[in-house]
Amino acid sequence: YPRMLAGFWVASIQNKFSFVLLGIIALLSVAGAYFRYKRGLTIVEAFLAPYLVMILVLPFVPGIRFVFPLIPWIVFLALYGLRNLAMHFVPRYSSAALCMFLCLIAVPYLLAYHKMDFGPILESTGLPEFNSLCEAVRNRTTPGDVLIYFRARALSLYTGRSASSYNRNGTEQELQLWADSIHASYLITTDAFDEDDGFLAHYVENHASALELIYENAHFKLYRILMNLDPIVHANAPAALGRAGN
């Protein structure tokens, strides 16, 4: 949450200037909250204050989108604080203070724009190894096969095969049960990115006897699933499915 809110102001640029700018914005936001409190709270604060408490008490892994409603509020507080401070200390230069503030924010955004990579997205078709993987999937699997891969939608789009993602925060037993329930035939691991914290790669290491490597390149490995469930998992399947359902 802090990185998301900070990135809005400084375009995720991390240098001394950005930290100074964030400090100024924090002070302006606090000043804005103080002036709003003196003037009286409105329905906006009545909604957003409990909302802020809720997302802090109940964190959620992909919950970065949950801070989006707070960004306009913080922008308003910072500008409100700047306006009131300028009117109090330098009333003749309040407009100049706003222009200077906007210029300060523009600096990290210009730096970010200068460093931005406008080339192809490397995690998909911009990565030659991914294109080779898709070709191997098309050539070595049948249209009825189901594959397990973290970015299932991209794989389905470029191969025409059914694919499924998985619960990266679950257990290996749950993954086995899921693979069996969808009749998965293959799974794919990659080191091109690590969005699942190596969960699928560890699974492959721990169940090497149940998998057959049929294709690999510098960043991707395609495994055929020889058996969907180990015998021990079959014995515990009802309990595990109950936990997964809960």
Side-chain angles (χ1 to χ4, degrees):
Y1 292 152
R3 285 196 298 269
M4 176 64 191
L5 295 174
F8 171 80
W9 293 102
V10 298
S12 299
I13 294 295
Q14 298 183 8
N15 54 33
K16 293 181 179 179
F17 178 82
S18 296
F19 288 114
V20 171
L21 179 58
L22 289 174
I24 294 174
I25 293 169
L27 292 176
L28 292 177
S29 299
V30 171
Y34 170 75
F35 289 119
R36 291 293 295 174
Y37 175 77
K38 289 184 61 177
R39 188 169 182 177
L41 300 180
T42 66
I43 189 64
V44 176
E45 288 79 12
F47 165 75
L48 289 176
Y51 180 84
L52 175 61
V53 173
M54 182 184 68
I55 65 174
L56 293 178
V57 173
L58 301 173
F60 183 58
V61 174
I64 202 66
R65 71 198 73 169
F66 292 164
V67 302
F68 289 165
L70 299 175
I71 291 178
W73 188 35
I74 296 175
V75 172
F76 169 74
L77 290 179
L79 295 177
Y80 192 75
L82 175 64
R83 176 188 176 187
N84 281 271
L85 289 175
M87 293 296 293
H88 183 74
F89 292 104
V90 285
R92 296 180 55 185
Y93 300 99
S94 57
S95 298
L98 175 61
C99 293
M100 183 176 297
F101 179 64
L102 295 177
C103 288
L104 289 176
I105 296 175
V107 171
Y109 269 91
L110 290 174
L111 291 175
Y113 183 83
H114 177 70
K115 296 180 179 180
M116 187 172 294
D117 182 8
F118 291 97
I121 300 175
L122 296 180
E123 288 82 358
S124 58
T125 56
L127 193 65
E129 290 81 2
F130 180 77
N131 295 328
S132 299
L133 169 71
C134 291
E135 183 178 0
V137 169
R138 290 191 294 267
N139 293 335
R140 305 190 184 200
T141 66
T142 66
D145 288 326
V146 178
L147 295 90
I148 293 179
Y149 178 56
F150 188 81
R151 294 183 173 174
R153 287 179 294 182
L155 185 69
S156 293
L157 177 65
Y158 293 111
T159 63
R161 302 292 187 263
S162 298
S164 170
S165 187
Y166 50 91
N167 180 15
R168 64 178 183 179
N169 297 314
T171 65
E172 293 186 358
Q173 187 182 60
E174 290 172 352
L175 176 59
Q176 288 179 302
L177 291 171
W178 176 244
D180 183 62
S181 67
I182 64 174
H183 305 291
S185 308
Y186 299 85
L187 63 81
I188 298 171
T189 63
T190 179
D191 62 2
F193 51 86
D194 190 28
E195 295 182 358
D196 70 345
D197 298 322
F199 174 76
L200 198 59
H202 293 314
Y203 173 83
V204 169
E205 293 176 0
N206 296 334
H207 301 82
S209 60
L211 301 165
E212 178 188 4
L213 178 64
I214 63 171
Y215 172 80
E216 68 175 314
N217 59 38
H219 294 297
F220 297 91
K221 292 182 179 181
L222 174 64
Y223 293 88
R224 178 185 289 113
I225 301 176
L226 302 179
M227 57 186 80
N228 285 332
L229 295 175
D230 293 338
I232 188 173
V233 177
H234 275 299
N236 297 327
L241 282 174
R243 288 195 300 273
N246 293 333

